[in-house]
Amino acid sequence: MTNNQISYDTNIPVIGDVDVLVIGGGPAGIGAALAAARAGAKTALVERYGFLGGNATAGLVGPFMNSYSDDGETQLVKGVFDELVRRMESFGGAVHPEQVRTGSAYSGFFSKGHDHVTPFDPEAVKLAAAEMMEEAGVRMFMHTFFVDSIVEDGRVNGALIVNKSGLQAIRAKVTVDCSADGDVAFRAGAELEVGRKSDGLTQPMTMFFRVAGVNDEEILKYVEEHPEERDLLFGSLIAEKRESGEWTVNKNHLGIYRTTQAGVWRVNTSRVQGLAGTNAEDLSKAELEGRRQVFELLAFFRKYFPGFQNAVLVDTATQIGVRETRRLVGEYMLTSDDLISGRSFEDVVALYGYPIDIHSPNEVTTEFSKEFKTANIYQMPYRILVPRLINGLLVAGRCVSATHEALGAIRVMPCAFALGQAAGAGAALASASGIEPRHVNIRELHQTLLAQDVVLPAGIA
């Protein structure tokens, strides 16, 4: 043992022996845990915060991006996602996407990629998701951090965790990595990639924040009178003030989204580039820089933007929003060509239609890539959840096996719910049959997903 290594106490208590262990309680983890439990698996969920939701709650990221086909005609993500939204809607915590059309204030006035978004209250996610876990019989370990993967003979058999009770272990027949950063896969020795091929840089981070005291009608009037700005809100003003040095954020438009509360808007405008979301020191720098930008932006908004003269800061996110870190190298790697062509896969487990949305790692961009035009509906195969070499493990969320370009489309939260649900169902089938996740019978998986109200291509039954 070298000076920079530690050894684990062999007497670490094993506090659980489950069929399926889910690490991370964000959108993918919510989908995975509920799918596994409802498929009959004894399921445990580990989450570092005292609430579920991940970027939807701790990150204040919202609204949920579109869950429909690109033409807005077909809802593609149902299952756990739709159930959560309808539960929140029942107590005033969300607006169902069927009621939200492109170009509205809820969609940030964007016309591209923002049809049928879902406005929601982060506090509603916290309650609804936890209630759904409780009802499904999921054993929840909140305020708990993942420490390491338990790897035996090239197989993940659970995880070491730590919380107020100390260092503990949970053994599992199948573990699902929904950490967003591929932490379980990384510690297990799975093959991973980071960033774009040319330089390894990842998409920037954003500190979301909410403001109150906004004059909703004044903003709506401005946008109505300036239709040319719908996809680049206040772009001309920002360009002018960028030249004078008053606008310092490396972004060329304002990203604001009306919430379910009058006068309260989410702001997706700060931008922190060149830092790694898997490095603690970089994350610390990003949090500080993000919050600095929040106060600079708010002062700018009050001075120049219609409707924001009396705006006040409600809160900044608990954690900075991270778009991209590690990506799995799986049995199949999803590519931009797959999304553009709408390629069919025999092991399809989810459908989606969001365009390729790459925030430049080092430049000012308008986000949606002009060189890629995705299909109206594209498919995602089960194999992107399966590590190429490691057994006993599935990966879901934005760390699945996809290229940097493909990730630009599938990194958003409705897709994470869908991929998580597929992973949870696959994990449950593998644990019940005593087989490795890579050997799950796809027909049985399709039947399980269809029974859970997941949308799959016509003809699959």
Side-chain angles (χ1 to χ4, degrees):
M1 183 173 68
T2 62
N3 289 335
N4 63 349
Q5 292 178 320
I6 60 173
S7 61
Y8 294 118
D9 186 345
T10 56
N11 295 317
I12 295 171
V14 177
I15 59 167
D17 197 336
V18 299
D19 297 324
V20 177
L21 172 62
V22 178
I23 303 295
I30 292 170
L34 289 173
R38 290 170 175 176
K42 182 180 178 183
T43 305
L45 173 65
V46 170
E47 166 54 43
R48 62 174 167 164
Y49 293 115
F51 51 86
L52 303 175
N55 268 335
T57 50
L60 284 183
V61 177
F64 291 131
M65 283 293 99
N66 67 321
S67 51
Y68 278 64
S69 54
D70 187 56
D71 63 9
E73 295 299 315
T74 307
Q75 186 174 354
L76 302 177
V77 184
K78 291 186 177 181
V80 167
F81 169 76
D82 196 68
E83 181 184 344
L84 177 72
V85 171
R86 291 192 183 278
R87 181 177 290 230
M88 292 191 292
E89 186 183 34
S90 72
F91 56 82
V95 178
H96 194 275
E98 65 191 3
Q99 301 177 44
V100 182
R101 297 313 307 261
T102 187
S104 70
Y106 284 140
S107 65
F109 306 109
F110 288 98
S111 60
K112 183 175 178 58
H114 287 62
D115 198 5
H116 294 295
V117 302
T118 305
F120 65 91
D121 184 337
E123 297 304 314
V125 176
K126 294 176 184 177
L127 175 61
E131 285 183 339
M132 290 165 69
M133 293 294 170
E134 186 177 55
E135 292 163 8
V138 175
R139 188 177 177 187
M140 289 185 285
F141 294 87
M142 304 248 227
H143 303 283
T144 299
F145 288 82
F146 165 78
V147 174
D148 208 350
S149 302
I150 298 174
V151 181
E152 297 161 329
D153 298 324
R155 188 181 199 282
V156 176
N157 289 322
L160 295 181
I161 59 174
V162 67
N163 51 37
K164 292 289 187 180
S165 301
L167 193 60
Q168 303 170 325
I170 300 178
R171 298 191 69 86
K173 294 177 182 176
V174 179
T175 301
V176 185
D177 184 349
C178 297
S179 66
D181 299 314
D183 291 338
V184 182
F186 174 70
R187 295 298 301 171
E191 190 177 355
L192 300 153
E193 291 186 354
V194 177
R196 58 189 183 188
K197 281 194 176 295
S198 60
D199 53 19
L201 293 178
T202 59
Q203 295 189 59
M205 303 182 222
T206 292
M207 177 59 71
F208 267 76
F209 62 103
R210 292 186 292 186
V211 294
V214 177
N215 186 322
D216 298 342
E217 296 307 314
E218 200 170 334
I219 295 176
L220 296 175
K221 180 182 177 183
Y222 178 88
V223 174
E224 184 177 345
E225 293 175 350
H226 299 81
E228 74 280 0
E229 292 195 8
R230 281 191 174 271
D231 283 324
L232 208 64
L233 189 60
F234 295 116
S236 56
L237 175 63
I238 289 172
E240 174 190 331
K241 298 305 178 183
R242 187 178 183 81
E243 284 291 320
S244 68
E246 285 188 79
W247 180 271
T248 60
V249 176
N250 206 20
K251 188 164 183 171
N252 61 358
H253 65 279
L254 179 63
I256 55 172
Y257 297 86
R258 192 174 191 172
T259 72
T260 55
Q261 299 168 301
V264 179
W265 292 66
R266 293 181 195 258
V267 184
N268 174 10
T269 303
S270 74
R271 173 165 284 186
V272 181
Q273 295 170 312
L275 297 174
T278 52
N279 180 291
E281 288 185 291
D282 274 10
L283 279 172
S284 300
K285 292 175 184 176
E287 299 276 0
L288 178 56
E289 174 58 23
R291 291 192 169 89
R292 280 191 182 127
Q293 289 185 18
V294 166
F295 282 87
E296 290 174 5
L297 287 167
L298 185 56
F300 190 95
F301 292 0
R302 288 171 178 153
K303 186 175 181 179
Y304 291 111
F305 292 151
F308 281 87
Q309 296 89 338
N310 299 311
V312 296
L313 181 65
V314 175
D315 53 4
T316 59
T318 300
Q319 67 174 53
I320 196 162
V322 180
R323 291 183 175 87
E324 179 185 13
T325 55
R326 306 183 188 107
R327 305 187 316 276
L328 179 72
V329 176
E331 289 198 332
Y332 183 82
M333 182 168 286
L334 196 70
T335 70
S336 58
D337 287 343
D338 295 329
L339 309 189
I340 292 167
S341 66
R343 179 182 176 183
S344 295
F345 296 95
E346 289 185 2
D347 60 336
V348 55
V349 289
L351 303 178
Y352 210 47
Y354 189 64
I356 292 175
D357 176 14
I358 301 174
H359 295 233
S360 174
N362 58 345
E363 299 174 354
V364 176
T365 66
T366 54
E367 277 72 79
F368 292 112
S369 177
K370 294 180 180 179
E371 62 182 296
F372 303 110
K373 170 57 179 170
T374 55
N376 182 47
I377 300 172
Y378 51 81
Q379 301 184 6
M380 286 165 285
Y382 178 70
R383 285 167 292 161
I384 69 172
L385 314 178
V386 183
R388 191 159 64 177
L389 301 175
I390 302 295
N391 286 321
L393 180 67
L394 290 170
V395 174
R398 63 171 168 79
C399 49
V400 297
S401 182
T403 63
H404 169 80
E405 292 76 20
L407 183 72
I410 68 169
R411 61 180 172 78
V412 293
M413 292 187 286
C415 189
F417 275 102
L419 292 174
Q421 186 159 6
L429 290 175
S431 65
S433 301
I435 59 176
E436 293 300 337
R438 70 181 74 254
H439 297 143
V440 162
N441 182 289
I442 297 302
R443 180 173 174 79
E444 290 183 16
L445 179 56
H446 284 160
Q447 291 172 339
T448 301
L449 292 173
L450 289 170
Q452 294 188 5
D453 198 33
V454 169
V455 179
L456 294 174
I460 291 180

